[in-house]
Amino acid sequence: MKKFFQEIKADIKFKSAGAGQKLTESAAEKAPKEKNSQPARQQPRQGPTNEAQMAAAAALARLEQKQPRARGPTSQDLIRNQVRKELPAEASVSGSSQASGTNMIAEPKEEGSTHLAAPGVYFTCPLTGAILRKDQRDTRIKEAILSHFSTDPVAASIMKIHTFNKDRDRVKLGVDTIAKYLDNIHLHPEEEKYRKIKLQNKVFQERINCLEGAHEFFEAIGFQKTLLPVPDQEGPEEFYVLSEAALAKPESLERHKEQLLCGEPVRATLIRQRRVFRPSPMASQFDLPPDFFNLTTEEAKREQKLRSEAVERLSMLRTKAMREKEEQREMRKYTYTLLRVRLPDGCLLQGTFYARERVAALYSFVREALQNDWLPFELLASCGQKLSEDENLAFNECGLVPSALLTFSWDMAVLEDIKAAGAKPDSSILKPELLLAIEKLS
């Protein structure tokens, strides 16, 4: 065997030595022969080795990095194009909004194969009980307050003061000043000067005259506008003068004062739109209507500008205070959030919330849907973070905007009791009437 391999090696060495020559042939005779036969013996060029190919590829890559490339669409261009596409859609949505209210929540409209996770954001008017769309809310509440003047002008004027005026500090200052006027009348009923209020008085003009509903309140509790002479002044001036009938009922004035001090703005109640879905792999997919983004056409243009600025900020260093300020502004972008809770049996419980509502509101919402609402449970975010019911955190502070999927989990002690009783931990826990209205998530 050893001799066999030696013969093979010798044969290879002999063949690689090239063409042979005669021992009697001189070197001078050999040179021209080799020169003439060179073209005939030209071998085909061999391809580059693997190492050469890798070196060439690396050199080509370095060369391409140095040479300017054709400019493709940047992230800023993509943002601008996306917003340009969204603006006409948002304008058409706002322009096609109906002016009249409805007592039924509209079903989500299909756009191709897209199904909205919620038909929109809806409210209940606390005065009339009507169901209002987001764009109708403020107008319809004001109309309800104004219509209340015919039945209870005092209560209607108090609601108007607290609801129509948005500056809460100005409202508090004006209400405290009115209460001071009424306190003086109550403490000094025999002194006539406290029963008259000069409308051109500087304090009255700065604190009360600017409030919508203030004049209606004075007239509703018994004040009357009267022209009275002013000492050292030629013409009369306008005063509010308390009538004798109202002065004879000091307890009514005191009651109206307390009502004014305890008044609150009339707020429409957000409808949760509770829905229950069957188990679905699309649980974490949310196609939200424009109501959840709280953007008008003008706001969308401003959002486009903010996005452009965000692209520029990525290339600059920011301090911690700058980053925190931007995060706070990002959290205030959303007014509402759509939350789903995956239950032990895989079913999904969905509801609409304010983005600034506390986590405790979600616990109450889930507890109202359970057969045994007294059993302790936990809610986990998608990242596994436990959301404590006792923590005073809002949804936007937890990153649960504008939508989120959470997981329901029994308390460990409850889970052990369930297993000890021989029951299945993943059995249905919702009230039977909710299971009758269960839907398919599409």
Side-chain angles (χ1 to χ4, degrees):
M1 183 64 68
K2 182 176 180 180
K3 184 178 180 181
F4 173 75
F5 282 109
Q6 287 177 349
E7 291 176 354
I8 292 177
K9 290 181 181 180
D11 184 55
I12 294 175
K13 185 175 181 180
F14 177 78
K15 289 180 180 180
S16 62
Q21 64 180 1
K22 297 180 179 179
L23 296 176
T24 60
E25 187 176 14
S26 64
E29 295 175 351
K30 175 179 174 290
K33 185 178 179 180
E34 288 182 351
K35 184 175 181 180
N36 295 333
S37 62
Q38 185 69 23
R41 292 188 291 105
Q42 186 176 3
Q43 298 293 328
R45 184 177 180 181
Q46 297 180 356
T49 63
N50 292 336
E51 291 78 3
Q53 292 180 6
M54 293 175 63
L60 181 61
R62 288 194 298 271
L63 182 62
E64 290 178 348
Q65 289 178 358
K66 295 180 181 179
Q67 293 179 347
R69 296 184 180 182
R71 183 179 178 272
T74 63
S75 58
Q76 187 172 353
D77 294 331
L78 295 175
I79 291 172
R80 187 180 295 109
N81 294 335
Q82 179 65 25
V83 174
R84 190 180 292 115
K85 293 178 182 178
E86 293 174 357
L87 286 177
E90 293 175 357
S92 62
V93 170
S94 60
S96 62
S97 299
Q98 298 180 359
S100 59
T102 177
N103 288 329
M104 296 296 291
I105 296 179
E107 291 296 326
K109 296 181 179 180
E110 293 187 5
E111 299 180 1
S113 59
T114 302
H115 297 265
L116 295 178
V121 178
Y122 292 87
F123 304 85
T124 303
C125 177
L127 300 178
T128 63
I131 295 179
L132 310 175
R133 296 194 307 270
K134 177 185 172 183
D135 58 335
Q136 300 173 324
R137 177 186 53 187
D138 295 338
T139 302
R140 290 307 180 91
I141 286 182
K142 289 184 177 181
E143 292 176 356
I145 291 175
L146 295 177
S147 65
H148 203 61
F149 273 96
S150 60
T151 56
D152 192 344
V154 176
S157 60
I158 292 174
M159 288 188 290
K160 185 174 182 180
I161 290 173
H162 286 280
T163 306
F164 284 40
N165 303 284
K166 302 303 181 183
D167 190 336
R168 302 308 304 159
D169 293 334
R170 185 180 292 273
V171 170
K172 186 179 186 309
L173 182 60
V175 166
D176 290 342
T177 304
I178 296 174
K180 184 64 176 177
Y181 286 145
L182 299 182
D183 278 337
N184 289 336
I185 296 174
H186 180 73
L187 296 175
H188 311 282
E190 69 285 350
E191 296 192 30
E192 184 179 355
K193 66 176 183 178
Y194 292 117
R195 301 199 298 267
K196 297 186 296 183
I197 302 174
K198 185 179 179 180
L199 269 64
Q200 295 303 318
N201 179 274
K202 181 179 179 182
V203 173
F204 186 91
Q205 286 292 320
E206 293 179 352
R207 301 183 182 182
I208 299 176
N209 190 58
C210 59
L211 293 181
E212 292 189 64
H215 290 279
E216 289 91 334
F217 177 76
F218 279 110
E219 295 173 2
I221 64 175
F223 281 89
Q224 299 173 346
K225 286 184 178 181
T226 307
L227 290 174
L228 296 176
V230 179
D232 302 329
Q233 188 172 316
E234 293 182 1
E237 287 198 15
E238 199 169 28
F239 285 78
Y240 269 132
V241 180
L242 186 65
S243 65
E244 293 295 333
L247 184 61
K249 300 178 181 179
E251 67 282 355
S252 295
L253 291 177
E254 188 67 15
R255 185 175 69 254
H256 297 329
K257 183 197 75 173
E258 294 299 329
Q259 291 174 348
L260 178 64
L261 290 173
C262 298
E264 294 288 341
V266 178
R267 304 295 190 198
T269 304
L270 178 66
I271 300 178
R272 297 293 188 203
Q273 300 186 61
R274 181 173 59 194
R275 301 173 71 180
V276 180
F277 297 103
R278 294 187 178 92
S280 171
M282 303 171 61
S284 59
Q285 299 180 14
F286 294 86
D287 187 14
L288 299 176
D291 288 353
F292 279 81
F293 298 99
N294 198 31
L295 291 178
T296 61
T297 303
E298 292 75 14
E299 290 170 334
K301 292 179 180 178
R302 187 165 61 251
E303 182 66 19
Q304 175 188 0
K305 181 180 178 181
L306 293 176
R307 291 179 182 178
S308 300
E309 294 175 354
V311 174
E312 298 175 359
R313 284 196 302 269
L314 293 176
S315 60
M316 61 178 286
L317 295 176
R318 294 172 294 162
T319 64
K320 181 180 179 182
M322 294 171 62
R323 292 193 299 270
E324 291 177 350
K325 185 177 180 180
E326 291 173 6
E327 290 172 359
Q328 291 294 328
R329 184 174 64 182
E330 189 71 17
M331 289 192 301
R332 290 192 297 268
K333 183 188 301 183
Y334 303 105
T335 305
Y336 313 99
T337 181
L338 188 68
L339 301 179
R340 287 176 185 159
V341 178
R342 180 183 279 119
L343 303 173
D345 60 351
C347 291
L348 304 168
L349 179 64
Q350 175 178 292
T352 304
F353 299 83
Y354 284 108
R356 297 186 183 182
E357 280 190 87
R358 305 300 169 184
V359 174
L362 179 59
Y363 272 86
S364 299
F365 174 74
V366 174
R367 191 171 285 112
E368 292 172 358
L370 301 180
Q371 296 183 34
N372 300 313
D373 56 4
W374 52 272
L375 291 175
F377 61 89
E378 298 174 349
L379 295 177
L380 306 177
S382 57
C383 60
Q385 174 191 1
K386 176 184 175 182
L387 301 178
S388 176
E389 186 174 6
D390 299 329
E391 292 183 10
N392 193 29
L393 290 176
F395 294 125
N396 55 5
E397 295 174 338
C398 300
L400 304 178
V401 289
S403 59
L405 174 65
L406 301 99
T407 303
F408 180 101
S409 176
W410 286 117
D411 182 85
M412 291 303 298
V414 176
L415 187 60
E416 292 176 0
D417 292 341
I418 292 176
K419 293 180 179 179
K424 294 182 178 180
D426 58 351
S427 59
S428 177
I429 58 177
L430 293 176
K431 294 179 178 178
E433 56 269 25
L434 296 180
L435 295 175
L436 294 176
I438 195 169
E439 307 174 50
K440 180 182 178 181
L441 185 61
S442 57

